[in-house]
Amino acid sequence: MSVPPAMILDMLYDDLVRALTEPGFTIDVRAGDLSGLSDEELGELLPAAQAVGAEAPVVMRQVAVTVCHAVREREPRFTPEACRRMFESLVARRGQVGPLPALDALRRCTGPWPELSGPARALTELYLEEDRVPHPYALLAVAGLAGDETLRTAADRLRSDAGAIVVDEIDVVIDLTPVERAVLAEADEVHTYAPEPNAPDVWRGIARIPAYVAFARRALEAAADRADALQRGELPYRADKAFTPREVDILGQAARVALLRDEPWLPDLVERLLPGIAVAPTAARTVPSQALLYELVRAARDFPTPELVTAIRTARSVTRHAGIPRQLDRLLKKVEPALAERTEVALRLSRDGFDDDGVLRREAGDGYTAVVTVTETVGLTWEKDGRPLKNVPAPVRRDHAGLLKELRGLVKRVDIQLGTLARALEGGFTVDAVHPYGWWRAELAGHPLARSVVRRLIWEIEVAPGRWRAVLPAAEDLPDAPDDASVRLWHPIRSDADTVRAWRGRLVDGQLRQPFKQAFREIYRLTPAEEETRVHSLRFAAHLVHYRRMFALFRARGWTSRLLGPWDAGDGDAALRTLGVGEWRASFAHTYADGVDGDEVASTDRVRFERRAAGAWREAPLAEVPPLVFSEAMRDVDLFVGVTSIAADPDWTEQGPARAYWERAAFAELSESAEARRDALARILPRLKIADRCTLDGRFLVVRGDLRTYRIHVGSANILMEPDNSYLCIVASRAGAGGKVFLPFEDDRLTVILSKALLLAADNEITDPSILTQIESGRPG
C-alpha cells in the first residue's frame, strides 16, 4: 500500500526536527527535498538549525545547512514561539551568528511578538563585546526589545567617534517603534556596491517611516552645509576625510529615501552637494570625499532622477582629481539605463527660459545679443543689432565675462540633459515604456529642449484601441488622438520587414540622423537552436576576443563583471545586466585565456536569463523571456563580440588555435549587427562619388580600383584582394576620414568600411608604401 504524500511530508518534517536536535539521529540529507514543506514548518525548523554550531556532528551540520539553504529560497513564517526560540538559539551560539535572523523572524511573525527582553538583553551584551558592530541598526532593534537602559547603552557605543550625522540618526532610531526599528534593520543586509534584488523593497520600507524621512532631509542638508563650509575655508581640509565611513553609509541611505520619494527639495540640494565634495577647496587635485561622491552615484543607480544625473555630470566636469571622471563614467553607464525605468521622473526637463522654438536670447548691452539655439546640437552665437557675428565680441569678453560664463555653462548643461534624455529613452526599450499622448505632446514633442531629441525618433500612437500609428514628428504632423491615448517608442521587433525597410529609407532620403539607432536597430529573435537548448543560447559562444576591450564595453553598456586574469578565481565569470524594470537579468559567460602575443584574450560562452521571483533570481527558459528584453540583451552581446573579436583585428598575426579562429571568423557569415550595417551601405553607396565602383555581394562590399578589385567584409572590415583572395592589411588610422558622408547612425565599423572603400576605389593614388607593396604583390601582370 502506498503512503499518502502528506504523510511522507510529515515524516520528513519529524525526521528533520530529530536530526537537528538529536545528535545520534541520521537522515539522508542528499535526498532531502524541502520544497514540499510549508512556510510555517520551515519557520519552526530554522531556530533549531541556527542553534547548530561547528562542534555538532556532521549529519546535524549538513541538515542545518540544508534548512538554511531552503530558507534563502523561500519566505518562511514564524509563530511567536518560533521567534522566541530563534532569539534563544542565537544566545546559545554566543553571538557567533549576527542578530539579523532573529529580526527576520519577527518581521514574518504570524502573531503578536513574544516577550523577548531576557534573550534580547543577552544578545545585545554579546554583540557589544565585539571590537566593531557590523549591524548597527539590528543592534539597536534588538537592544530596544531589552528595554530603554539596554537601548541607551547600545546607542552610546554607536555614537563614539562616528560623526555628527550618525549621532543625529541614532537619536531618531531610539524614538522609533520596535516594528520600525526592525524594518530599518533590513538595511544592514544591503550591500550598496552590488545590491540584492530585494534591496529596493528594503528602501521602500524605510521611506514609509515618517521620522526617518524627516531625518533624511536633515542629514543631506547637513552634508551640503559641511561641504560649503569646507569650500569657504571655515573647516580644516583633509583629502577624503570630510565624512566618516558610517556617515557615508547613512547619507547614501538618506539619498535613496529622498530619491525614491522624488522629494522636491532634493534637486537644489544635490546641485550644491556634489560639486562641493568633488573639488578640493585648495588647488590640490584631491577631493573632500570620494566615498560619498561614489555612494551618491550608486544611490542614483538605484533611484535615478534627471536632476541628479545632471549634478553628477557637473561634478565630473569640475573635479581636478585624475581618476574620478573615469570612475563616474563607469557608474553613469548603470545610472542612465536605470533612469529610463523610472518613467514617472525620467523624462522631465526644465525650460530654462527657452521659447517654444528652442531659442534663448540674452542682451549684453551696446546692441549685442547672445542667442542659444537647440537643434540637433546646442549652440551659442552672437548678434550685433540683429546681424550675426562670427565670434564672441571683445566688449562682451571684457565687460560681461560673468554672462559669458553663465551662457557657456547653460550650453554645457543643456547638452548633458539632452544626452541623458536620449539615453533614458533608449533604455526604456526593455520596459516598453508608455506615456499619455497629451503629456507626451506637451512635455516631450512640444518641449523647447526635448523636442530636438524626440522629433527625430519614430513613435507609435494608439489612435484607436489596439490600433497603433507610427509617426516621425520631424517629418509629419501629429495625428488627432485623445489626451489619454498611449504613446510608445517604435521598435523594429514589433514591425514587419517591409515597414522597417520603409522607415530606413525615409531616414536616409531625408538625411535625418537619429539620437540613437532605432530604425536600423538590430533585432534578435529566438532561433530553433535556442528553442532546443531551452535555457541558454550558444549564438555568441566560442569566439576569441580582446578581453580588456570587452571588459570596458561591459562597463560602458551597464553590465557588471569581475576582472579576470592570471590569479586565483580569475579564470571565468558571467557578465550580468538587469533589464525590464529589474524583473529580468541576462548573463554572458566568458573565460580568460592566457595572454597571446602580449594581449589578453577571452573565450565567449553561453547566454542565460533569470527572472526575479520572491526576492531572488530564478533561471528562466528563453521562450519565456519577453521578446524586447531578449532582443536588447542579445544586441549587447553581439556588440561585445563584434567589436572585440580578434577576427576584426587587421594586425592579428599570432599562430596556433587563435590564428585558426581568426581565419575562420574574419570572413564569416554576418551577424545581426553586420546585416544592419549592410542595409545601411546599400542605401548610402548610391549617393557616393564611387557608387559606380562599388557593389554588395553577400557578406562583402566589392570595390573596383584601377590596380585591383577588393572585397571588404561587412562584419569585420577585413579585406581580400582578387583574383587570389590575398589578404590586405590596412589599419583604420591609415584609411583616412573618408570625407563627409551622411550616416544614419553612429557605427565605427561602418565608418572604417566606407573609408577603406573610398581609399581603394582610387588605389592608383595611394602613396603609403606598406599598402602599395601588398597590392603589387601577386597582382596579375
Side-chain angles (χ1 to χ4, degrees):
M1 183 177 67
S2 61
V3 180
M7 186 176 296
I8 293 175
L9 289 175
D10 288 342
M11 293 168 58
L12 174 62
Y13 173 75
D14 293 340
D15 285 348
L16 288 169
V17 171
R18 293 186 64 187
L20 289 169
T21 56
E22 300 178 17
F25 187 83
T26 60
I27 182 175
D28 184 2
V29 293
R30 293 172 298 178
D33 179 7
L34 308 190
S35 61
L37 296 180
S38 69
D39 292 340
E40 288 79 6
E41 286 172 324
L42 279 177
E44 290 295 320
L45 289 171
L46 188 58
Q50 291 288 5
V52 175
E55 71 288 347
V58 173
V59 171
M60 186 177 285
R61 296 203 307 272
Q62 289 175 335
V63 173
V65 169
T66 301
V67 170
C68 291
H69 179 75
V71 166
R72 285 196 296 271
E73 301 294 318
R74 302 265 295 277
E75 293 191 7
R77 302 178 67 195
F78 299 83
T79 64
E81 175 59 21
C83 292
R84 184 187 59 76
R85 287 192 289 108
M86 179 66 80
F87 273 78
E88 292 172 347
S89 295
L90 300 187
V91 172
R93 292 288 300 278
R94 301 294 302 167
Q96 296 174 18
V97 179
L100 297 173
L103 295 169
D104 286 340
L106 287 179
R107 284 192 293 269
R108 297 170 183 165
C109 187
T110 59
W113 288 7
E115 211 292 316
L116 294 166
S117 59
R121 186 176 302 107
L123 267 182
T124 303
E125 291 170 355
L126 288 170
Y127 296 139
L128 288 177
E129 292 175 2
E130 302 295 325
D131 293 334
R132 57 181 295 272
V133 179
H135 305 112
Y137 295 129
L139 174 63
L140 291 173
V142 171
L145 297 171
D148 290 346
E149 184 178 348
T150 304
L151 179 59
R152 283 195 298 272
T153 301
D156 290 342
R157 164 71 183 278
L158 294 173
R159 285 190 183 100
S160 60
D161 301 323
I165 292 171
V166 179
V167 172
D168 187 9
E169 187 197 44
I170 290 171
D171 291 341
V172 170
V173 176
I174 286 176
D175 290 335
L176 298 180
T177 67
V179 172
E180 290 172 333
R181 283 196 289 263
V183 169
L184 188 60
E186 289 188 88
D188 283 335
E189 299 182 89
V190 174
H191 303 284
T192 61
Y193 284 84
E196 290 298 312
N198 68 327
D201 295 332
V202 172
W203 290 314
R204 289 186 186 97
I206 296 171
R208 288 192 286 268
I209 302 175
Y212 201 90
V213 171
F215 161 76
R217 180 173 186 174
R218 262 195 335 272
L220 290 167
E221 287 175 342
D225 290 344
R226 191 183 303 178
D228 289 345
L230 281 169
Q231 296 297 331
R232 293 192 299 265
E234 297 171 2
L235 294 175
Y237 174 70
R238 289 188 300 157
D240 291 315
K241 300 295 183 183
F243 302 91
T244 68
R246 182 61 186 157
E247 283 182 319
V248 169
D249 292 342
I250 292 171
L251 288 167
Q253 182 158 282
R256 287 174 176 87
V257 167
L259 289 165
L260 173 61
R261 294 171 56 86
D262 197 22
E263 294 285 4
W265 48 264
L266 188 60
D268 289 341
L269 192 145
V270 295
E271 193 174 330
R272 286 172 53 206
L273 176 57
L274 266 75
I277 59 176
V279 183
T282 65
R285 295 181 177 272
T286 57
V287 298
S289 180
Q290 285 189 73
L292 181 56
L293 179 61
Y294 296 148
E295 179 62 14
L296 291 175
V297 180
R298 286 190 289 271
R301 171 204 62 199
D302 298 322
F303 301 107
T305 65
E307 297 85 2
L308 181 51
V309 172
T310 299
I312 293 167
R313 291 198 173 277
T314 300
R316 184 204 182 282
S317 68
V318 300
T319 187
R320 293 187 293 269
H321 191 288
I324 283 178
R326 184 169 54 186
Q327 278 288 90
L328 291 182
D329 287 343
R330 180 177 65 84
L331 291 168
L332 278 167
K333 295 299 182 183
K334 299 177 183 178
V335 173
E336 286 167 334
L339 180 59
E341 298 180 356
R342 292 193 78 193
T343 55
E344 72 277 15
V345 301
L347 306 180
R348 66 179 177 223
L349 283 175
S350 65
R351 294 182 176 255
D352 283 325
F354 285 82
D355 64 22
D356 290 342
D357 295 321
V359 178
L360 178 144
R361 307 177 74 87
R362 293 282 297 274
E363 301 299 325
D366 298 325
Y368 292 110
T369 304
V371 183
V372 182
T373 308
V374 180
T375 53
E376 289 191 18
T377 58
V378 186
L380 171 61
T381 58
W382 292 87
E383 297 177 353
K384 168 70 171 175
D385 297 327
R387 299 189 313 274
L389 303 174
K390 291 184 177 180
N391 300 303
V392 181
V396 172
R397 291 181 183 274
R398 183 185 64 245
D399 302 330
H400 301 280
L403 174 63
L404 182 60
K405 181 179 180 180
E406 176 191 341
L407 291 172
R408 285 174 171 169
L410 174 65
V411 168
K412 190 171 187 178
R413 186 173 74 250
V414 171
D415 191 55
I416 289 172
Q417 290 174 337
L418 295 180
T420 298
L421 174 64
R423 285 183 287 270
L425 288 169
E426 184 178 21
F429 271 139
T430 65
V431 300
D432 210 7
V434 175
H435 315 286
Y437 183 51
W439 175 87
W440 174 87
R441 187 176 50 210
E443 297 301 325
L444 286 182
H447 191 285
L449 305 183
R451 66 199 296 270
S452 66
V453 173
V454 172
R455 291 174 63 81
R456 290 181 287 134
L457 294 169
I458 306 164
W459 297 83
E460 287 186 305
I461 301 167
E462 193 174 26
V463 293
R467 186 163 67 88
W468 296 83
R469 175 182 164 186
V471 297
L472 179 64
E476 59 191 289
D477 293 332
L478 297 177
D480 290 329
D483 284 350
D484 60 354
S486 296
V487 184
R488 67 187 181 190
L489 269 174
W490 176 88
H491 193 288
I493 204 167
R494 290 193 292 257
S495 296
D496 58 54
D498 289 341
T499 301
V500 174
R501 281 193 291 268
W503 278 118
R504 291 177 176 181
R506 286 188 66 180
L507 291 178
V508 175
D509 291 344
Q511 297 208 359
L512 185 66
R513 187 183 181 94
Q514 294 194 288
F516 52 83
K517 192 188 287 189
Q518 185 190 24
F520 283 88
R521 200 172 193 84
E522 308 84 353
I523 58 175
Y524 302 78
R525 302 184 192 275
L526 209 59
T527 64
E530 288 160 345
E531 292 174 354
E532 184 71 22
T533 55
R534 205 175 72 81
V535 295
H536 66 262
S537 168
L538 296 173
R539 194 184 309 195
F540 299 107
H543 286 274
L544 295 178
V545 298
H546 292 284
Y547 172 64
R548 290 285 180 154
R549 297 181 199 172
M550 186 170 72
F551 185 73
L553 272 179
F554 287 160
R555 293 184 169 188
R557 296 295 300 172
W559 292 63
T560 58
S561 178
R562 289 185 297 108
L563 181 66
L564 304 182
W567 48 73
D568 289 345
D571 56 336
D573 193 27
L576 303 172
R577 181 187 170 189
T578 303
L579 307 103
V581 202
E583 294 302 312
W584 291 92
R585 186 168 76 173
S587 70
F588 173 41
H590 54 285
T591 56
Y592 182 83
D594 291 335
V596 179
D597 196 25
D599 198 357
E600 292 180 286
V601 174
S603 175
T604 63
D605 205 332
R606 61 196 59 192
V607 177
R608 294 179 180 271
F609 287 84
E610 298 169 301
R611 177 194 286 115
R612 185 184 179 197
W617 293 110
R618 304 281 189 266
E619 185 175 70
L622 300 182
E624 296 180 8
V625 182
L628 265 174
V629 171
F630 181 83
S631 184
E632 290 297 302
M634 297 297 278
R635 180 175 182 267
D636 273 358
V637 178
D638 190 0
L639 172 74
F640 301 151
V641 173
V643 170
T644 68
S645 170
I646 66 171
D649 187 344
D651 284 332
W652 190 268
T653 57
E654 184 68 18
Q655 299 302 311
R659 181 64 185 185
Y661 165 79
W662 187 94
E663 292 174 347
R664 182 177 69 253
F667 302 100
E669 293 294 333
L670 301 183
S671 67
E672 285 85 346
S673 60
E675 288 286 3
R677 190 177 302 126
R678 187 186 188 282
D679 189 25
L681 279 169
R683 300 171 188 280
I684 294 168
L685 288 173
R687 303 169 181 274
L688 302 182
K689 62 182 181 180
I690 62 170
D692 61 334
R693 289 177 172 263
C694 297
T695 56
L696 283 166
D697 180 14
R699 69 192 82 161
F700 292 96
L701 169 61
V702 181
V703 180
R704 178 175 53 82
D706 290 320
L707 303 179
R708 296 187 78 158
T709 297
Y710 310 90
R711 297 173 64 82
I712 306 174
H713 190 260
V714 178
S716 65
N718 289 322
I719 308 168
L720 298 176
M721 296 183 289
E722 295 183 352
D724 56 349
N725 278 345
S726 55
Y727 176 66
L728 173 60
C729 177
I730 302 178
V731 297
S733 60
R734 293 179 184 170
K740 292 184 178 180
V741 178
F742 168 75
L743 300 181
F745 55 85
E746 279 191 37
D747 184 334
D748 291 341
R749 192 71 51 81
L750 178 59
T751 302
V752 168
I753 290 170
L754 287 170
S755 298
K756 289 181 176 181
L758 289 162
L759 177 74
L760 296 173
D763 56 2
N764 60 336
E765 300 177 10
I766 294 174
T767 57
D768 189 317
S770 67
I771 299 176
L772 281 174
T773 299
Q774 296 177 79
I775 293 174
E776 294 292 343
S777 176
R779 178 185 168 203

